Amino acid sequence: MSYPKDFLWGGATAAYQCEGAWNEDGKGLGEWDEFSHKSPLNLNGATGDISSDFYHRYKEDIDMMVAGNQNTYRFSISWARILPEGRGEVNPEGIDFYNRVIDYCLEKGVVPNVTLFHYDLPNTIALQGGFANRDTVDAFVEYAKICFTAFGDRVRLWCTINEPKYYAYCTNMVGNYPPNHRQDFNRFFKVVYHEALATAKTVAAYHEMNLPGTIGVVHDNSNVELAPQTKEKELIKLRGDLFYNSMTLDTALKGCLPASLLLMMQENGFDTSYMKFEDSIAFAKGKVDWLGLNVYNRFYLTDYSEGETEVFHNNLGARSKMKEGIRIKDWFETTDDPTTHRNLWGREIYPQCMYNTLVEIRNTYGDIPVYITENGHGQYETADENGYVDDQPRIDMMQSYIDQMYKAMEAGCNVRGYYAWSPMDLYSWVNGYEKRYGLVRIDFDNPDLPRTPKKSYYWFKNLIADYFTNKAGR
Ligand code: NOJ
């Protein structure tokens, strides 16, 4: 096989996690501003008020990417920076900021890959129920069209929503993200459904505008694998896929909802009244051009054993022994694979999920272009006296996932790019700043926020050079 010569290698960030400038230049209040300032559920007390200060230092960060051989940068737009009230009046300074970032990327030969929504609703929209309210679908399409009009001449890669399912899961099942609902299945399904509808309508609107680019959606990879002791194998696999994947993937890639999902929801007494017959037309017209996968882990399932439904989550890292997972009464439960390791936040590290998911996606949905829109490793870090971090575990982890990506490409999977989460350190939502992901260290205790490349930055730089000389250059 030949490896693509135009493969994209870069890093990914999200607006609230790196921009800072939370109340500057006309930006409206976001739901995360409210949550991080006021909620007792903000366990680590951190905020994104300043964060990496990307708003003021974007040139320095993009320069660092370029010096590291990266040819693409995935970032998100803050909806509240463009529309401070969520709908209505546009903030010209918000438009200016993203124009500056996009133009700088292009000047430096970096392909911008732009996400419209990455967890951060304008607070006005959040107060009206966010994606649990069908009106948000229309508000989102309006906002998206403003972005397409302003930036669509130069941005060739668009993503509607980052991790629709994980966002809905954290906001309605775990309850660690605002508005902090817990184990609320009805709200969970409703939010994922409206996000799917928003994606479909936005994709159709983008295609109608005839702009010179493509648009996709980014799913948090959730390939379902079964523990060997599982008795009801087919049923558990089906339920797992319906719960984790189908609402996002089937709507975006096949243009419809699977009937089995509706049957499963109705048999279990879940509300489906918000699903309108006419939405089928929107789904059919709104199929994406590509799929983004944020690949960290799989979902390792077995039969439900006993007890009430319970979500397990760890935002305390080494201060907790909790492993990430869920038990859903009468459906299934997650379990442990004794042969794999977990990170300190209880999440499984399993490089083979990269290969397994890529092959499964191709077998289920056909030859859709796929970008690995995130992959990375969260850990505690200590710098030496020069600010340098030897982050060998991150290198080992990412290299093992990239090897599996190459294996999938050799097996015929249509992978077009890989984004490290994250190019520099940033705010890690409820995990605050203790959990580091960056290839470049930021010293958040120093008001100058100095940046220092870590060992992984140089490893990634060499890996990219090696790709273009030895793999794609063959
Ligand atoms: C998923 C999300 O897109 C991003 O916001 C998050 O910080 C990383 N993965 C790391 O967990």
Side-chain angles (χ1 to χ4, degrees):
M1 71 149 296
S2 61
Y3 285 89
K5 290 193 184 346
D6 56 355
F7 197 82
L8 296 179
W9 287 103
T13 64
Y16 186 73
Q17 294 184 266
C18 72
E19 284 179 6
W22 71 282
N23 58 358
E24 278 182 51
D25 296 342
K27 177 183 166 291
L29 201 61
E31 64 177 337
W32 277 88
D33 296 320
E34 281 290 272
F35 170 78
S36 67
H37 293 161
K38 297 182 185 160
S39 174
L41 296 174
N42 183 13
L43 300 180
N44 291 288
T47 76
D49 289 2
I50 301 173
S51 185
S52 323
D53 197 27
F54 178 80
Y55 190 78
H56 299 109
R57 294 162 202 246
Y58 64 93
K59 285 192 176 173
E60 188 181 343
D61 288 327
I62 294 168
D63 286 346
M64 197 82 91
M65 296 170 200
V66 174
N69 287 336
Q70 299 171 37
N71 61 6
T72 185
Y73 172 40
R74 172 173 179 244
F75 60 91
S76 78
I77 294 181
S78 154
W79 184 344
R81 218 181 265 295
I82 300 293
L83 289 159
E85 297 299 323
R87 295 181 102 148
E89 204 157 322
V90 174
N91 171 31
E93 289 172 285
I95 301 275
D96 287 351
F97 169 62
Y98 294 108
N99 268 329
R100 289 197 295 277
V101 173
I102 291 163
D103 288 343
Y104 197 65
C105 282
L106 295 176
E107 188 188 321
K108 296 284 166 178
V110 170
V111 174
N113 183 337
V114 178
T115 298
L116 290 161
F117 177 66
H118 194 128
Y119 302 176
D120 54 344
L121 286 177
N123 202 45
T124 45
I125 301 274
L127 291 174
Q128 290 157 24
F131 275 103
N133 178 350
R134 197 178 168 96
D135 290 348
T136 299
V137 174
D138 295 330
F140 182 76
V141 180
E142 283 164 26
Y143 154 63
K145 283 185 181 168
I146 291 166
C147 293
F148 297 151
T149 304
F151 315 120
D153 56 334
R154 286 153 294 146
V155 173
R156 303 294 165 97
L157 284 171
W158 289 96
C159 154
T160 56
I161 298 181
N162 177 73
E163 302 191 342
K165 183 264 288 174
Y166 193 69
Y167 172 69
Y169 188 77
C170 287
T171 52
N172 300 297
M173 297 295 291
V174 186
N176 57 340
Y177 290 7
N180 312 100
H181 294 262
R182 269 190 69 74
Q183 293 184 198
D184 186 340
F185 280 86
N186 275 321
R187 205 174 186 282
F188 165 76
F189 281 121
K190 195 191 263 191
V191 168
V192 193
Y193 182 83
H194 286 150
E195 290 181 292
L197 192 59
T199 284
K201 291 192 171 189
T202 302
V203 167
Y206 180 73
H207 287 155
E208 271 164 30
M209 288 171 83
N210 274 319
L211 289 160
T214 56
I215 186 160
V217 66
V218 167
H219 184 51
D220 50 301
N221 178 61
S222 309
N223 68 304
V224 171
E225 298 187 25
L226 301 176
Q229 72 272 20
T230 308
K231 294 193 191 76
E232 301 205 88
K233 289 198 166 52
E234 281 171 294
L235 200 56
I236 301 298
K237 169 84 173 123
L238 177 63
R239 281 202 195 112
D241 274 325
L242 292 176
F243 183 68
Y244 291 115
N245 294 311
S246 307
M247 239 190 213
T248 306
L249 295 183
D250 284 31
T251 52
L253 300 171
K254 290 186 174 168
C256 57
L257 270 182
S260 44
L261 175 59
L262 284 181
L263 293 175
M264 180 175 89
M265 290 177 68
Q266 282 161 1
E267 267 183 17
N268 287 276
F270 292 128
D271 180 22
T272 52
S273 62
Y274 51 86
M275 300 181 183
K276 306 270 179 250
F277 174 60
E278 72 201 46
D279 297 345
S280 346
I281 302 172
F283 288 132
K285 284 201 255 127
K287 287 202 275 176
V288 295
D289 304 316
W290 53 268
L291 175 68
L293 284 178
N294 292 349
V295 182
Y296 295 93
N297 59 297
R298 62 174 167 176
F299 284 78
Y300 194 60
L301 305 185
T302 193
D303 310 282
Y304 160 75
S305 56
E306 57 179 355
E308 292 304 313
T309 293
E310 201 176 341
V311 175
F312 310 98
H313 211 77
N314 178 354
N315 285 126
L316 294 171
R319 284 177 279 142
S320 162
K321 291 268 169 293
M322 191 68 90
K323 289 175 180 166
E324 210 175 69
I326 192 169
R327 176 176 60 237
I328 306 182
K329 192 173 182 184
D330 297 328
W331 281 13
F332 59 75
E333 61 194 43
T334 52
T335 188
D336 255 355
D337 179 343
T339 67
T340 61
H341 294 290
R342 294 192 177 230
N343 70 18
L344 290 172
W345 287 262
R347 179 173 277 188
E348 191 187 28
I349 298 174
Y350 181 67
Q352 291 90 330
C353 74
M354 175 73 91
Y355 175 83
N356 295 348
T357 193
L358 286 167
V359 170
E360 189 174 352
I361 294 280
R362 191 200 47 197
N363 292 344
T364 314
Y365 299 105
D367 189 31
I368 181 94
V370 176
Y371 293 87
I372 304 306
T373 34
E374 285 184 31
N375 172 235
H377 181 56
Q379 57 175 23
Y380 295 108
E381 290 179 347
T382 319
D384 70 11
E385 66 282 7
N386 300 314
Y388 178 78
V389 177
D390 179 341
D391 54 347
Q392 191 61 40
R394 172 168 299 115
I395 297 175
D396 295 342
M397 190 270 192
M398 292 172 75
Q399 182 72 62
S400 64
Y401 279 67
I402 290 171
D403 289 344
Q404 294 286 327
M405 177 183 80
Y406 284 151
K407 190 175 151 199
M409 290 164 80
E410 279 158 18
C413 295
N414 187 2
V415 187
R416 301 282 182 88
Y418 172 99
Y419 293 81
W421 183 273
S422 45
M424 69 282 187
D425 284 338
L426 35 66
Y427 169 78
S428 218
W429 307 111
V430 186
N431 296 309
Y433 293 95
E434 276 189 321
K435 190 182 187 187
R436 300 292 179 111
Y437 277 94
L439 304 182
V440 172
R441 176 172 174 86
I442 297 183
D443 181 356
F444 292 108
D445 296 328
N446 181 334
D448 292 336
L449 299 172
R451 272 87 163 137
T452 313
K454 303 178 192 176
K455 189 175 184 184
S456 58
Y457 171 88
Y458 299 104
W459 157 81
F460 196 50
K461 178 178 177 169
N462 290 335
L463 181 134
I464 298 169
D466 178 67
Y467 175 85
F468 286 114
T469 43
N470 294 322
K471 283 202 149 45
R474 271 208 298 252

